[in-house]
């Protein structure tokens, strides 16, 4: 437990009677891409703001890089780069000047500005005033700002918000490359499971301020329930036949769905159905999609 | 605190491409125009203090308090506009350092205005051919005292500018509280009124207003309110939820 790179213990934030974040225990290991997943308003941004010292926790504690936070705030924040919600920028300055306002404070070599601009692909627009940037470019400038101090931990809150498909792909590739190329640990939040699924190795799911699930992505995928679907000539009769062996078969039009059973039992069912004169057109092994897992974890019905 | 000068340089950079120069020369320019129009007898004794009073009237009573508010709002505006606060305050900076840096920038800009104003008085005085030698001590004192008396007001305005995301709200409050200045400074409570203090400190003593406040008392009150407002500002920014 104590060797986690970032760890929160019973972290809680209350606004009056409303509990925005409720006793959450996040755990990030070094070089993780930790996907922080939850619907809008679940408490992701509130948690991230506490991790950055922008707001104070009501109770609970945070440890980062083995130091307690916000007690060692300065030491910790030196190693953290962040992009919270919409990107921050000074519209009247160009990209270089925007980064320079940060560089003067964190005191890194001036050459670092060109480096991060080329990482995010803004080199040729660097001298344009940011007011005229598209949302995607501002987002990339935000990432550049977050990378400027060569952080060990990068906190990205909804980094693909407002990006076009090409931008989302680019952002995803960039984030995926960070642990291997630069040894950076990433905490990336999103309300889209598909996005987290394509980047993260660890996942934390938050809803109504509480963590519902926290483990590796494989564990999340393993939780997926198997179903076996059968397309048969006379589904009603077949369902009846199957139910006489104590297996429930749900009928959707001409498809029968039964819950997961071992191979031998599948073979037995097929054999019996054929002997009873059914034609079997298809047998499909169906895993619950992550979207469905997510919905079942967060307790919402699919609309 | 070691990072204070770094935050300060970052603040200076953020002022680039703003129309700050215009704001700084506006009031001295108007004072100069008033000075030119004033029918001054260049030969009479005490012509310099008379010119100074005339030129400092609008500047000290109206523009100096307004300017302290405008500059404070100005330096917080771009932090409010596009998430600047959250980016700035999640850097390894102390919030106290951020407050002090912004304060020092505003105070420095206001000092620049004061020096430009002094230049304007000198220029007009020499233009009109005032016979007496330039009373350097009086001019420097007037300008510096006006500046010192603005320091608590800057702290107060800075607090409002940090607290309110709106650019207009602190300015509106500032204008409303600046307008009754002429009345308030002539009452005996005038020295306790932050918006009136700059004019009390800057206008020559015992002048046509009949204002008679000892400079010592004034500086004492100013010092006290300065400490009070700065502490309030620091307490606020350190607790502010971003």
């Amino acid at each position: 437990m104590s060797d986690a790179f970032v760890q929160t213990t019973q972290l809680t934030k209350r606004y009056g009677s409303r509990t925005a974040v409720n006793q959450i225990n996040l755990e990030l290991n070094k070089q993780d891409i930790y996907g922080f997943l939850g619907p809008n308003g679940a408490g992701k941004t509130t948690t991230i703001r506490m991790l950055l010292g922008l707001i104070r926790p009501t109770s609970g504690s945070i440890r980062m890089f083995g130091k307690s936070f916000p007690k060692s705030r300065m030491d910790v924040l030196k190693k953290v780069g962040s992009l919270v919600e919409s990107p921050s920028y000074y519209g009247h300055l160009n990209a270089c000047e925007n980064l320079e306002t940060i560089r003067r404070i964190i005191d890194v070599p001036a050459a670092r500005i060109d480096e991060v601009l080329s990482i995010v692909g803004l080199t040729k627009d660097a001298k344009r005033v940011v007011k005229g940037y598209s949302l995607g470019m501002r987002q990339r400038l935000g990432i550049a700002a977050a990378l400027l101090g060569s952080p060990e931990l990068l906190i990205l809150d909804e980094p693909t918000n407002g990006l076009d498909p090409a931008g989302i792909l680019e952002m995803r590739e960039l984030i995926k490359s960070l642990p291997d190329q630069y040894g950076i640990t990433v905490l990336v939040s999103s309300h889209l499971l598909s996005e987290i699924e394509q980047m993260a190795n660890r996942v934390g799911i938050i809803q109504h301020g509480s963590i519902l699930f926290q483990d590796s992505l494989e564990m999340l995928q393993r939780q997926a329930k198997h179903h076996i679907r059968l397309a048969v000539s006379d589904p009603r009769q077949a369902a009846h036949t199957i139910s006489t062996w104590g297996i429930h078969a749900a009928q959707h039009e001409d498809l029968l769905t039964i819950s997961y059973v071992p191979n031998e039992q599948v073979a037995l069912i097929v054999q019996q159905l054929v002997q009873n004169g059914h034609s079997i057109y298809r047998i499909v092994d169906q895993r619950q999609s992550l979207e469905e897992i997510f919905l079942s974890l967060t307790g919402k019905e699919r609309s | 605190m070691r990072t204070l000068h770094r935050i300060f340089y970052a603040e200076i950079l953020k002022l680039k491409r703003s129309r700050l120069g215009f704001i700084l020369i506006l009031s001295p320019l108007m004072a100069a125009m008033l000075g030119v129009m004033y029918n001054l007898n260049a030969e009479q004794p005490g012509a310099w203090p008379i010119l100074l009073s005339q030129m400092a009237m609008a500047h000290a009573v109206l523009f100096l308090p307004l300017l302290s508010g405008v500059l404070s709002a100005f330096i917080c505006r771009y932090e409010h506009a596009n998430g600047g606060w959250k980016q700035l305050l999640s850097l390894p900076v102390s919030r106290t350092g951020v407050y002090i840096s912004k304060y020092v920038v505003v105070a420095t800009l206001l000092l620049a205005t004061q020096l430009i104003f002094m230049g304007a008085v000198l220029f007009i005085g020499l233009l009109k051919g005032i016979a007496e030698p330039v009373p350097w001590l009086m001019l420097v004192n007037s300008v510096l005292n006006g500046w010192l008396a603005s320091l608590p007001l800057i702290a107060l305005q800075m607090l409002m500018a940090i607290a309110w995301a709106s650019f207009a709200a602190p300015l509106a409050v500032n204008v409303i509280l600046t307008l009754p200045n002429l009345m308030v400074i002539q009452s005996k409570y005038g020295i306790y009124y932050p918006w009136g203090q700059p004019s009390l400190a800057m206008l020559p003593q015992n002048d046509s207003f009949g204002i008679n406040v000892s400079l010592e008392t004034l500086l004492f009150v100013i010092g006290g309110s300065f400490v009070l407002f700065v502490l309030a500002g620091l307490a606020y920014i350190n607790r502010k939820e971003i």
Side-chain angles (χ1 to χ4, degrees):
Chain A
M1 282 289 271
S2 59
D3 57 357
F5 202 58
V6 175
Q7 185 170 16
T8 73
T9 310
Q10 303 289 312
L11 192 65
T12 301
K13 180 69 185 179
R14 271 191 287 274
Y15 292 103
S17 60
R18 194 176 74 87
T19 305
V21 172
N22 190 16
Q23 303 187 349
I24 69 170
N25 300 304
L26 293 187
E27 218 183 302
L28 274 74
N29 301 316
K30 202 165 164 45
Q31 301 200 12
D32 268 348
I33 295 183
Y34 184 99
F36 195 28
L37 188 61
N40 293 326
K44 302 188 295 285
T45 301
T46 307
T47 305
I48 286 171
R49 283 157 78 213
M50 284 192 277
L51 289 176
L52 292 170
L54 292 176
I55 56 175
R56 279 163 209 258
T58 308
S59 60
S61 65
I62 302 170
R63 283 187 76 77
M64 289 162 116
F65 326 118
K67 287 180 175 152
S68 110
F69 186 82
K71 211 165 124 196
S72 308
R73 184 173 166 274
M74 293 289 236
D75 289 338
V76 168
L77 287 183
K78 262 177 206 154
K79 301 179 184 172
V80 179
S82 65
L83 174 63
V84 184
E85 290 175 299
S86 52
S88 306
Y89 59 91
Y90 301 116
H92 61 293
L93 303 178
N94 67 35
C96 280
E97 290 159 351
N98 263 278
L99 294 174
E100 178 68 13
T101 64
I102 300 170
R103 194 197 71 83
R104 287 188 181 184
I105 290 174
I106 59 179
D107 197 27
V108 293
R112 186 72 192 140
I113 288 180
D114 296 331
E115 280 173 41
V116 292
L117 282 174
S118 93
I119 291 177
V120 300
L122 274 181
T123 306
K124 76 177 182 351
D125 295 295
K127 298 293 180 196
R128 268 176 57 202
V129 168
V130 174
K131 219 182 294 177
Y133 274 24
S134 68
L135 182 56
M137 293 166 76
R138 288 174 191 174
Q139 200 85 13
R140 282 188 276 162
L141 177 62
I143 300 277
L147 289 172
L148 192 63
S150 308
E152 291 180 31
L153 172 68
L154 194 60
I155 297 180
L156 303 173
D157 189 15
E158 303 271 4
T160 55
N161 248 4
L163 295 186
D164 57 16
I168 291 176
L169 187 72
E170 245 174 68
M171 181 70 70
R172 192 188 300 143
E173 293 308 312
L174 173 66
I175 291 172
K176 277 160 75 176
S177 72
L178 292 174
D180 292 336
Q181 280 196 27
Y182 306 99
I184 297 176
T185 307
V186 184
L187 171 72
V188 54
S189 85
S190 175
H191 61 282
L192 296 173
L193 177 63
S194 54
E195 205 169 277
I196 293 295
E197 204 181 350
Q198 292 176 71
M199 296 187 276
N201 64 320
R202 271 169 65 77
V203 181
I205 297 178
I206 185 170
Q207 195 195 21
H208 299 317
S210 300
I211 291 287
L212 300 175
F213 173 93
Q214 178 173 242
D215 211 322
S216 64
L217 186 68
E218 294 89 77
M219 279 305 290
L220 183 63
Q221 285 166 331
R222 209 173 290 169
Q223 284 211 346
K225 293 188 190 110
H226 282 248
H227 288 287
I228 292 163
R229 288 193 166 185
L230 299 160
V232 293
S233 50
D234 184 357
R236 187 184 301 256
Q237 187 59 40
H240 180 73
T241 309
I242 292 170
S243 66
T244 58
W245 309 318
I247 296 169
H248 176 71
Q251 186 193 339
H252 297 287
E253 292 168 13
D254 59 344
L255 278 177
L256 290 181
T257 306
I258 60 174
S259 54
Y260 179 76
V261 288
N263 288 343
E264 302 78 48
Q265 218 169 341
V266 176
L268 205 65
I269 290 168
V270 170
Q271 194 187 354
Q272 294 291 332
L273 285 177
V274 171
Q275 281 179 6
N276 281 293
H278 292 281
S279 299
I280 298 175
Y281 306 136
R282 267 169 293 147
I283 301 178
V284 186
D285 180 41
Q286 196 183 46
R287 302 183 79 194
Q288 195 182 16
S289 76
L290 279 175
E291 222 74 53
E292 287 163 328
I293 301 174
F294 180 59
L295 287 174
S296 67
L297 279 171
T298 56
K300 271 193 204 158
E301 286 303 312
R302 202 168 189 182
S303 54
Chain B
M1 284 302 116
R2 283 165 311 171
T3 57
L4 199 58
H5 66 283
R6 297 208 195 111
I7 311 172
F8 182 76
Y9 288 135
E11 289 301 327
I12 296 290
L13 180 62
K14 292 177 200 169
L15 295 176
K16 207 171 165 182
R17 281 195 209 102
S18 54
R19 294 194 191 91
L20 203 61
F22 176 70
I23 297 175
L24 294 184
I25 61 163
L26 186 65
S27 182
L29 211 60
M30 293 188 70
M33 277 156 59
L34 287 174
V36 168
M37 287 187 291
Y38 182 66
N39 190 12
L40 182 75
N41 179 0
E43 305 300 325
Q44 75 181 106
W48 279 109
I50 292 171
L51 179 67
L52 176 63
S53 292
Q54 285 304 318
M55 289 182 67
M57 260 293 285
H59 175 73
V61 176
L62 207 58
F63 289 109
L64 205 50
L66 288 182
L67 207 53
S68 70
V70 169
L71 293 174
S72 302
F74 197 86
I75 203 163
C76 293
R77 184 185 197 175
Y78 40 71
E79 308 291 359
H80 286 299
N82 295 298
W85 287 121
K86 65 179 189 232
Q87 178 168 283
L88 178 59
L89 297 182
S90 50
L91 295 174
V93 293
S94 75
R95 291 186 175 201
T96 301
V98 170
Y99 177 92
I100 293 176
S101 299
K102 286 196 178 289
Y103 184 93
V104 170
V105 171
V106 172
T108 307
L109 293 173
L110 206 64
L111 183 62
T113 293
Q114 288 295 80
L115 294 177
I116 297 169
F117 172 80
M118 192 174 97
V121 174
L122 277 173
F123 180 73
I124 301 297
L126 297 175
L127 197 72
K128 298 241 172 192
I130 294 178
E132 290 177 338
V134 177
W136 286 105
L137 191 64
M138 183 198 74
L139 284 181
V140 171
N141 261 337
S142 162
V143 160
L144 281 188
N145 289 340
W147 179 69
L148 282 176
S150 304
L151 295 182
L153 188 56
I154 296 175
L156 197 57
Q157 301 280 359
M158 187 72 82
L159 176 58
M160 283 194 270
I162 292 170
W164 292 338
S166 149
F167 184 66
L171 291 189
V173 170
N174 191 25
V175 170
I176 291 167
L177 292 173
T178 301
L179 288 179
N181 249 355
L182 257 187
M183 276 160 20
V184 178
I185 56 173
Q186 291 180 81
S187 77
K188 59 179 173 176
Y189 304 110
I191 58 163
Y192 300 107
Y193 193 58
W195 282 265
Q197 286 159 356
S199 40
L200 287 178
M202 198 169 171
L203 294 172
Q205 297 298 300
N206 299 313
D207 78 345
S208 48
F209 288 115
I211 304 163
N212 197 351
V213 184
S214 90
L215 197 58
E216 287 71 32
T217 314
L218 189 58
L219 287 178
F220 183 75
V221 172
I222 287 168
S225 49
F226 170 76
V227 170
L228 189 71
F229 296 148
V230 166
L231 288 180
L234 288 177
Y236 180 76
I237 196 173
N238 277 297
R239 276 165 190 73
K240 185 175 168 71
E241 304 229 310
I242 308 294

